[in-house]
Amino acid sequence: MLKKGMGLIIVLVVLAVAVSGCFTKGGTNLKVGMVTDAGTIDDKSFNQGTWEGIKRAGEELKVETKYLKPGGTTEADYMKEIGNLYDAGYKFIVCPGFKFETAIYQAQDKYKDAKFVLIDGSPHAGDGKAVVKENTVSIFFAEHESGFMAGIATALQLKEGEVGFIGGMEIPPVQRFNWGFQQGIQYANANLGTNISLKAENVIYQGSFDNVAAGQQLAAQMYDKGVKAIFCAAGGVGVGAINEAKSRAKAGQQVWVIGVDVDQYSEGIYDGNKSVILTSAMKKIAQAAFDMVQAEKDGKFPGGQTLTFDASNNGVGIPDENPNLSEEVQTKTAEVFEKLQSGEIKVSDQRGNLIK
Amino acid sequence: MKMELNKEYVLALIAVVLGLLAGAILMMLTGNNPLQGYYFLIRGGLMSIERVGNTLATATPLIFTGLAVAFAFRTGLFNIGAAGQMLAGGLCATAIGLSFAWPKVILLPTAVLGALIAGALWGFVPGYLKSRFNVHEVVSSIMMNWIAYWTVYYVVPGYFKGPYLETESRKITEAASLKVAWLTKMFSGSYINLGFFLAVLAVIVIAFILNKTTLGYELKAVGFNRHAAEYAGIRSNRNIVISMMISGALAGLGGAAFYIGYASNIQIGVMPSQGFDGIAVSLLGANSPWGVFFAAVFFGLLHSGKGFMNAMTNIPPEIADSIIATIIYFAATSILIERCWDRLKKYLRGAK
């Protein structure tokens, strides 16, 4: 067996030598690559948002695009895919998610002639001390402001009743969504005449971003307890909640989900043209990805910088079109958004005395 | 005996070729050139010394989990809990690595030993339940997977949390890591680590136990026919527990190779896919230690070459995953091929 096996190895090696002859590099055109985080490219969330921005850049700016899906979520898996993109000539690499932080920290040194965009994180060696090199841009979003606007819109539309929150993992970006949402509800109750309650038992972190079945169960429990709308910042878990809401809505029950990251309206469609998505707490990821590619095209890549997308630069907020919100609610929400932009309203990114 | 090994080898090769053909058909169906696809797949796995290292590093945990499954198979047990045993081993190794500030020569072996013991413990439970209460090991070892999963979920954020992330442990220190500078340098920055040598050692030891010791003989006898073995005076209950413990220990070592070698910390909420891939590795390797070794290296090549194939062709990652899964699927059906082979031989003999 051993001897035979050696034969196999020799064959493989010979093959490898044989095939390593010709290797042509691509043209001078900018090639933009992306490595996906845990989850699929159509996760209706981070991966999808980033990829849509890159695709748009591909069409409008005539750059070549490609995404790769790592085999796991360790630093080694990420580094391998970054290496694959680099070796294939993709030297502008966008990575969505904080999990890339340590990989980008290494990659920015290892591939000095490549450029990196890290969305929702900043490169560091595993100690939390950010080191953004000249060939890297680190992008953050003000999730709390986005959650706040979703809270305002939800409160205004529902006027009274209970709402809930389902989070994925209990990590800072998800927590900020939650805290912002709670502040939005509080603000609306105090200043806009609504009467919405959010009980501690209805604020739950499921613990993953991919357990669709668990999301469905959690949502079912909350709706059974009389919750009218659930804000889901939970990736695939949120998809489960949306499914539950859809089947209840079809049966005539009035339940809502507030989407996250991207405008999830189309995910909640049932019976032809109705949707269970009340509104969405958006992070304009696609815009951020597109902007970075464009900046590179124009020779203005903001290397070495850490950028924050928040209300003041229109980087977060609810969608422009919300078919499930009344005109009046939309106008009022827009007014609050302006106050947020001008700094008249401040939303805290800390827990303070909020729930979880 | 010699003949039999030859046959198994041929069957495994046929299975691989069939798998590659099936993958090629899938590539053609999606409008890609299979030759080009495989060309980049192989290049991706082997075109530089760094990539060779990464291929071996990817294969390392698979060697362990493949061995674990194969070993249990030989005793007639289906250990589907390699993922959980890996987690238990990885968690234990990480915990030891992060808790003590000993020099590397003491700390690293302790961590590896801890992984071995934790994995053995995780294998012991289903083994004991099987021998004592006849609880089917498939059910109990799957349950043990989830116990390990949620234990990690609780322990890591509670006790070994990184300074900035809730979802993973602190980074393992250099002293507790299977990654060593000279090896990384030799393979120009690849993720290969001492785990690979441990895996080779494990293959040799397991081959020895199975083929040259009384214990191995007894274990195999129980695997062939439990009742006959008992009739012959072999205590099958004891052997079942021992087999599951050794199997678990191997998977636990795989956990060490993965979490303190390939990766540098342990993440919560992730069931390692290597645990299940180990089943396919074991099937392709015909449950023999060296067969498992080469099957694991083959899978490592597929997994680590895939990304480069994606990058160089228009094959989307999802299709690439399906292609790899198809190859694995066919590769794991060597039993079917064996039947066809036997029938063919009978037919040829009849024709004479």
Side-chain angles (χ1 to χ4, degrees), chain A residues 51-199:
Chain A
W51 180 236
E52 274 169 5
I54 294 175
K55 257 199 325 204
R56 192 181 134 208
E59 282 154 20
E60 292 179 18
L61 307 174
K62 304 277 172 284
V63 296
E64 281 183 58
T65 61
K66 169 90 65 188
Y67 73 90
L68 294 186
K69 195 166 169 287
T73 53
T74 65
E75 180 191 301
D77 294 316
Y78 292 146
M79 280 302 284
K80 279 201 301 204
E81 298 314 327
I82 290 171
N84 282 329
L85 282 172
Y86 181 86
D87 286 347
Y90 292 86
K91 300 204 172 162
F92 189 92
I93 299 172
V94 185
C95 298
F98 65 91
K99 285 191 168 170
F100 285 96
E101 288 179 333
T102 54
I104 296 286
Y105 175 80
Q106 290 187 15
Q108 62 185 359
D109 278 335
K110 189 169 176 184
Y111 306 111
K112 284 209 165 63
D113 61 331
K115 298 210 163 111
F116 297 96
V117 176
L118 175 53
I119 297 180
D120 233 17
S122 57
H124 59 77
D127 51 10
K129 282 182 213 129
V131 183
V132 185
K133 291 275 169 70
E134 279 308 301
N135 54 344
T136 304
V137 169
S138 149
I139 293 176
F140 283 100
F141 291 89
E143 289 90 0
H144 45 288
E145 295 185 356
S146 188
F148 179 82
M149 290 315 302
I152 296 283
T154 307
L156 283 172
Q157 182 65 31
L158 297 179
K159 300 209 169 51
E160 57 184 12
E162 272 187 62
V163 294
F165 171 83
I166 298 177
M169 286 179 170
E170 200 166 351
I171 53 171
V174 179
Q175 288 170 315
R176 285 199 290 269
F177 267 125
N178 174 17
W179 299 332
F181 184 68
Q182 292 183 38
Q183 292 174 65
I185 303 277
Q186 283 174 357
Y187 182 89
N189 285 345
N191 303 305
L192 305 171
T194 64
N195 184 21
I196 301 285
S197 66
L198 177 61
K199 287 186 189 157

Side-chain angles (χ1 to χ4, degrees), chain B residues 121-161:
Chain B
L121 182 73
W122 237 252
F124 168 78
V125 177
Y128 180 75
L129 290 176
K130 166 94 178 180
S131 73
R132 186 83 175 72
F133 305 107
N134 210 16
V135 176
H136 204 289
E137 74 279 3
V138 166
V139 179
S140 52
S141 57
I142 288 181
M143 291 303 129
M144 291 302 282
N145 282 348
W146 292 107
I147 296 173
Y149 178 94
W150 291 109
T151 306
V152 169
Y153 211 105
Y154 170 75
V155 173
V156 168
Y159 301 94
F160 303 106
K161 187 167 84 77

